[in-house]
Coordinates of all heavy atoms in Angstrom, one line a residue:
Y174 N 30.8 5.4 -110.1 CA 29.8 4.4 -110.2 C 28.4 5.0 -110.6 O 27.6 4.3 -111.3 CB 29.6 3.7 -108.9 CG 30.3 2.4 -108.7 CD1 31.2 2.2 -107.7 CD2 30.1 1.3 -109.6 CE1 31.9 1.0 -107.5 CE2 30.7 0.1 -109.4 CZ 31.6 -0.1 -108.4 OH 32.2 -1.3 -108.2
F177 N 28.5 5.3 -114.3 CA 28.6 3.9 -114.9 C 27.3 3.2 -114.9 O 26.9 2.6 -115.9 CB 29.7 3.2 -114.1 CG 29.8 1.7 -114.5 CD1 30.3 1.4 -115.7 CD2 29.5 0.7 -113.6 CE1 30.5 0.0 -116.1 CE2 29.7 -0.6 -113.9 CZ 30.2 -0.9 -115.1
W180 N 24.8 4.6 -117.4 CA 25.2 4.1 -118.7 C 24.7 2.6 -118.9 O 24.2 2.2 -120.0 CB 26.7 4.2 -119.0 CG 27.1 3.6 -120.3 CD1 27.1 4.3 -121.5 CD2 27.6 2.3 -120.5 NE1 27.5 3.4 -122.5 CE2 27.8 2.2 -121.9 CE3 27.8 1.2 -119.7 CZ2 28.3 1.0 -122.5 CZ3 28.3 0.0 -120.3 CH2 28.5 0.0 -121.7
L181 N 24.9 1.8 -117.9 CA 24.5 0.4 -118.0 C 23.0 0.3 -118.2 O 22.6 -0.6 -119.0 CB 24.9 -0.3 -116.6 CG 26.3 -0.8 -116.4 CD1 26.4 -1.5 -115.1 CD2 26.7 -1.8 -117.5
W200 N 22.8 -9.0 -116.3 CA 23.6 -7.9 -117.0 C 24.3 -7.1 -116.0 O 25.5 -6.8 -116.2 CB 22.6 -7.0 -117.7 CG 23.1 -5.7 -118.3 CD1 22.9 -4.5 -117.8 CD2 23.8 -5.6 -119.6 NE1 23.5 -3.6 -118.6 CE2 24.1 -4.2 -119.7 CE3 24.3 -6.5 -120.5 CZ2 24.8 -3.7 -120.8 CZ3 25.0 -6.0 -121.6 CH2 25.2 -4.6 -121.7
I201 N 23.7 -6.7 -114.9 CA 24.3 -5.9 -113.8 C 25.5 -6.7 -113.2 O 26.6 -6.1 -113.0 CB 23.3 -5.6 -112.7 CG1 22.4 -4.4 -113.2 CG2 24.0 -5.2 -111.4 CD1 23.1 -3.0 -113.2
R202 N 25.3 -7.9 -112.9 CA 26.4 -8.7 -112.2 C 27.6 -8.9 -113.2 O 28.7 -8.8 -112.7 CB 25.8 -10.1 -111.7 CG 24.9 -9.9 -110.6 CD 24.4 -11.3 -110.0 NE 25.5 -12.1 -109.5 CZ 26.0 -12.0 -108.3 NH1 25.5 -11.1 -107.4 NH2 27.0 -12.7 -107.9
R203 N 27.3 -9.2 -114.4 CA 28.5 -9.3 -115.4 C 29.2 -8.0 -115.5 O 30.4 -7.9 -115.6 CB 27.9 -9.8 -116.7 CG 27.5 -11.2 -116.8 CD 27.2 -11.7 -118.2 NE 27.0 -13.1 -118.2 CZ 26.9 -13.8 -119.3 NH1 27.1 -13.2 -120.5 NH2 26.7 -15.1 -119.3
A204 N 28.5 -6.9 -115.5 CA 29.1 -5.6 -115.7 C 29.9 -5.3 -114.4 O 31.1 -4.7 -114.6 CB 28.0 -4.5 -115.8
E205 N 29.4 -5.6 -113.2 CA 30.2 -5.3 -112.0 C 31.5 -6.2 -111.9 O 32.5 -5.7 -111.5 CB 29.3 -5.6 -110.8 CG 28.3 -4.5 -110.6 CD 27.5 -4.6 -109.3 OE1 27.8 -5.6 -108.6 OE2 26.7 -3.7 -109.0
A206 N 31.3 -7.5 -112.3 CA 32.5 -8.3 -112.3 C 33.6 -7.8 -113.3 O 34.8 -7.8 -113.0 CB 32.1 -9.8 -112.7
L207 N 33.1 -7.3 -114.5 CA 34.1 -6.8 -115.4 C 34.7 -5.5 -114.9 O 35.9 -5.3 -115.1 CB 33.4 -6.5 -116.8 CG 34.2 -5.9 -117.9 CD1 35.5 -6.7 -118.1 CD2 33.4 -5.8 -119.2
Y208 N 33.9 -4.7 -114.3 CA 34.4 -3.4 -113.7 C 35.5 -3.7 -112.7 O 36.5 -3.0 -112.6 CB 33.2 -2.6 -113.1 CG 33.5 -1.1 -113.0 CD1 34.0 -0.4 -114.1 CD2 33.3 -0.5 -111.8 CE1 34.2 1.0 -113.9 CE2 33.6 0.9 -111.6 CZ 34.0 1.6 -112.7 OH 34.3 3.0 -112.6
A209 N 35.2 -4.7 -111.9 CA 36.2 -5.1 -110.9 C 37.5 -5.6 -111.5 O 38.6 -5.2 -111.1 CB 35.6 -6.2 -110.0
L210 N 37.4 -6.4 -112.6 CA 38.6 -6.8 -113.3 C 39.4 -5.7 -113.9 O 40.6 -5.6 -113.8 CB 38.2 -7.8 -114.4 CG 37.8 -9.2 -113.9 CD1 37.1 -10.0 -115.1 CD2 38.9 -10.0 -113.4
V211 N 38.7 -4.7 -114.5 CA 39.4 -3.6 -115.1 C 40.0 -2.7 -114.1 O 41.2 -2.3 -114.2 CB 38.4 -2.7 -115.9 CG1 39.0 -1.4 -116.4 CG2 37.8 -3.5 -117.1
S212 N 39.3 -2.5 -113.0 CA 39.9 -1.7 -111.9 C 41.1 -2.3 -111.2 O 42.0 -1.7 -110.9 CB 38.8 -1.4 -110.9 OG 37.7 -0.7 -111.5
A213 N 41.0 -3.7 -111.0 CA 42.1 -4.4 -110.4 C 43.3 -4.3 -111.2 O 44.4 -4.1 -110.7 CB 41.7 -5.8 -110.1
R214 N 43.1 -4.5 -112.5 CA 44.3 -4.4 -113.5 C 44.9 -3.0 -113.4 O 46.1 -2.9 -113.5 CB 43.8 -4.7 -114.9 CG 44.9 -4.6 -115.9 CD 45.9 -5.7 -115.8 NE 46.9 -5.7 -116.9 CZ 47.9 -6.5 -116.9 NH1 48.1 -7.4 -116.0 NH2 48.8 -6.3 -117.9
V220 N 36.2 -0.5 -105.3 CA 35.3 -1.2 -106.3 C 34.9 -2.5 -105.8 O 35.7 -3.3 -105.4 CB 36.1 -1.3 -107.7 CG1 35.3 -2.1 -108.7 CG2 36.4 0.1 -108.2
G221 N 33.6 -2.8 -105.9 CA 33.1 -4.1 -105.4 C 33.6 -5.3 -106.2 O 33.6 -5.2 -107.4
G222 N 34.1 -6.3 -105.5 CA 34.6 -7.5 -106.2 C 36.0 -7.4 -106.5 O 36.6 -8.4 -107.2
W225 N 38.2 -10.5 -105.5 CA 38.0 -11.6 -106.4 C 38.8 -11.4 -107.7 O 39.5 -12.3 -108.2 CB 36.5 -11.8 -106.7 CG 36.3 -12.6 -108.0 CD1 36.2 -14.0 -108.1 CD2 36.1 -12.1 -109.3 NE1 36.0 -14.3 -109.4 CE2 35.9 -13.2 -110.1 CE3 36.0 -10.8 -109.8 CZ2 35.7 -13.0 -111.5 CZ3 35.8 -10.6 -111.2 CH2 35.6 -11.7 -112.0
A226 N 38.7 -10.2 -108.2 CA 39.4 -9.8 -109.4 C 40.9 -10.0 -109.3 O 41.6 -10.5 -110.2 CB 39.0 -8.4 -109.9
I237 N 40.0 -14.4 -119.4 CA 39.2 -14.6 -118.2 C 37.8 -14.8 -118.5 O 37.1 -13.8 -119.1 CB 39.4 -13.5 -117.2 CG1 40.9 -13.3 -116.9 CG2 38.6 -13.7 -115.9 CD1 41.2 -12.1 -116.0
F239 N 34.3 -14.8 -117.0 CA 33.7 -14.5 -115.7 C 32.2 -14.7 -115.6 O 31.6 -14.2 -114.7 CB 34.1 -13.0 -115.3 CG 33.7 -12.0 -116.4 CD1 32.4 -11.4 -116.4 CD2 34.5 -11.6 -117.4 CE1 32.1 -10.5 -117.3 CE2 34.2 -10.7 -118.4 CZ 32.9 -10.1 -118.3
A242 N 31.4 -16.6 -112.3 CA 31.6 -15.7 -111.2 C 30.5 -14.6 -111.1 O 30.2 -14.1 -110.0 CB 33.0 -15.0 -111.3
A243 N 29.9 -14.3 -112.2 CA 28.9 -13.3 -112.2 C 27.5 -13.9 -112.0 O 26.5 -13.2 -111.9 CB 28.9 -12.5 -113.5
Y252 N 32.0 -13.2 -107.7 CA 32.7 -11.9 -107.4 C 32.1 -11.2 -106.1 O 32.8 -10.6 -105.4 CB 32.7 -11.0 -108.6 CG 31.4 -10.2 -108.8 CD1 31.3 -8.9 -108.3 CD2 30.3 -10.8 -109.3 CE1 30.1 -8.2 -108.5 CE2 29.1 -10.2 -109.5 CZ 29.0 -8.8 -109.0 OH 27.8 -8.2 -109.2
C304 N 35.5 2.7 -126.5 CA 35.6 2.0 -125.2 C 34.2 1.5 -124.8 O 34.0 0.4 -124.3 CB 36.1 3.1 -124.2 SG 36.4 2.3 -122.5
L307 N 33.3 -1.7 -126.8 CA 34.0 -2.8 -126.3 C 33.4 -3.2 -124.9 O 33.3 -4.4 -124.6 CB 35.5 -2.5 -126.1 CG 36.4 -3.6 -125.5 CD1 36.4 -4.8 -126.4 CD2 37.8 -3.1 -125.3
L308 N 33.1 -2.3 -124.1 CA 32.6 -2.6 -122.7 C 31.3 -3.3 -122.9 O 31.1 -4.4 -122.2 CB 32.4 -1.3 -122.0 CG 31.8 -1.4 -120.6 CD1 32.6 -2.2 -119.6 CD2 31.6 0.0 -119.9
A309 N 30.4 -2.9 -123.7 CA 29.1 -3.5 -123.9 C 29.2 -4.9 -124.4 O 28.6 -5.9 -124.0 CB 28.2 -2.7 -124.8
R310 N 30.1 -5.1 -125.4 CA 30.4 -6.4 -125.9 C 30.9 -7.4 -124.9 O 30.5 -8.6 -124.8 CB 31.3 -6.3 -127.2 CG 31.4 -7.6 -128.0 CD 32.1 -7.4 -129.3 NE 33.5 -7.3 -129.1 CZ 34.2 -6.2 -129.3 NH1 33.6 -5.1 -129.7 NH2 35.5 -6.1 -129.2
K311 N 31.9 -6.9 -124.1 CA 32.5 -7.8 -123.1 C 31.6 -8.2 -122.0 O 31.6 -9.3 -121.5 CB 33.8 -7.2 -122.6 CG 34.9 -7.0 -123.6 CD 35.5 -8.3 -124.0 CE 35.2 -8.7 -125.4 NZ 35.8 -10.0 -125.8
I312 N 30.7 -7.3 -121.6 CA 29.6 -7.6 -120.6 C 28.8 -8.8 -121.2 O 28.5 -9.7 -120.5 CB 28.8 -6.4 -120.3 CG1 29.6 -5.3 -119.6 CG2 27.6 -6.8 -119.4 CD1 28.9 -4.0 -119.4
A313 N 28.4 -8.7 -122.4 CA 27.5 -9.7 -123.0 C 28.2 -11.0 -123.2 O 27.7 -12.1 -122.9 CB 27.0 -9.2 -124.4
E314 N 29.5 -11.0 -123.5 CA 30.3 -12.2 -123.7 C 30.7 -12.8 -122.4 O 30.9 -14.1 -122.3 CB 31.5 -11.9 -124.6 CG 31.2 -11.5 -126.0 CD 32.4 -11.1 -126.8 OE1 33.5 -11.2 -126.3 OE2 32.3 -10.8 -128.0
A315 N 31.0 -12.0 -121.4 CA 31.5 -12.4 -120.1 C 32.9 -13.1 -120.3 O 33.2 -14.1 -119.5 CB 30.5 -13.4 -119.4
R316 N 33.7 -12.7 -121.2 CA 35.0 -13.2 -121.4 C 35.9 -12.0 -121.9 O 35.4 -11.1 -122.7 CB 35.1 -14.2 -122.6 CG 34.5 -15.6 -122.2 CD 34.3 -16.5 -123.4 NE 35.6 -16.7 -124.1 CZ 36.5 -17.6 -123.8 NH1 36.2 -18.4 -122.8 NH2 37.7 -17.7 -124.4
I317 N 37.1 -11.9 -121.3 CA 38.0 -10.8 -121.7 C 39.4 -11.2 -121.6 O 39.8 -11.9 -120.7 CB 37.6 -9.6 -120.8 CG1 38.3 -8.3 -121.4 CG2 38.0 -9.8 -119.3 CD1 37.7 -7.0 -120.8
S318 N 40.2 -10.6 -122.4 CA 41.7 -10.8 -122.4 C 42.3 -9.7 -121.6 O 41.7 -8.6 -121.3 CB 42.3 -10.8 -123.8 OG 42.2 -9.5 -124.4
E321 N 42.4 -6.5 -123.5 CA 41.2 -5.8 -123.6 C 40.9 -5.1 -122.2 O 40.3 -4.0 -122.2 CB 40.0 -6.8 -123.9 CG 40.1 -7.2 -125.4 CD 39.2 -8.4 -125.6 OE1 39.0 -9.3 -124.7 OE2 38.7 -8.5 -126.8
L322 N 41.3 -5.7 -121.1 CA 41.2 -5.0 -119.8 C 41.9 -3.7 -119.9 O 41.4 -2.7 -119.4 CB 41.7 -5.9 -118.7 CG 40.9 -7.1 -118.3 CD1 41.7 -7.9 -117.2 CD2 39.5 -6.7 -117.7
L325 N 40.1 -1.0 -121.6 CA 39.0 -0.5 -120.9 C 39.4 0.4 -119.7 O 38.5 0.9 -119.0 CB 38.1 -1.6 -120.4 CG 37.3 -2.4 -121.5 CD1 36.5 -3.5 -120.9 CD2 36.3 -1.4 -122.2
I328 N 37.5 3.6 -118.1 CA 36.3 3.6 -117.3 C 36.5 3.6 -115.8 O 35.6 3.8 -115.0 CB 35.4 2.4 -117.6 CG1 36.0 1.1 -117.1 CG2 35.2 2.3 -119.1 CD1 35.1 -0.1 -117.2
V329 N 37.8 3.5 -115.3 CA 38.0 3.3 -113.9 C 37.6 4.6 -113.1 O 37.6 5.7 -113.7 CB 39.4 2.8 -113.6 CG1 39.7 1.5 -114.3 CG2 40.4 3.9 -114.0

Side-chain angles (χ1 to χ4, degrees):
Y174 260 124
F177 174 65
W180 176 85
L181 279 179
W200 173 259
I201 281 289
R202 290 183 63 84
R203 287 187 174 194
E205 289 188 353
L207 178 55
Y208 201 52
L210 288 167
V211 175
S212 298
R214 179 68 179 177
V220 174
W225 161 83
I237 301 173
F239 55 91
Y252 80 99
C304 190
L307 177 62
L308 179 59
R310 188 169 76 251
K311 293 291 109 178
I312 294 171
E314 293 175 0
R316 289 171 56 86
I317 192 162
S318 69
E321 288 168 329
L322 286 177
L325 289 176
I328 73 172
V329 301

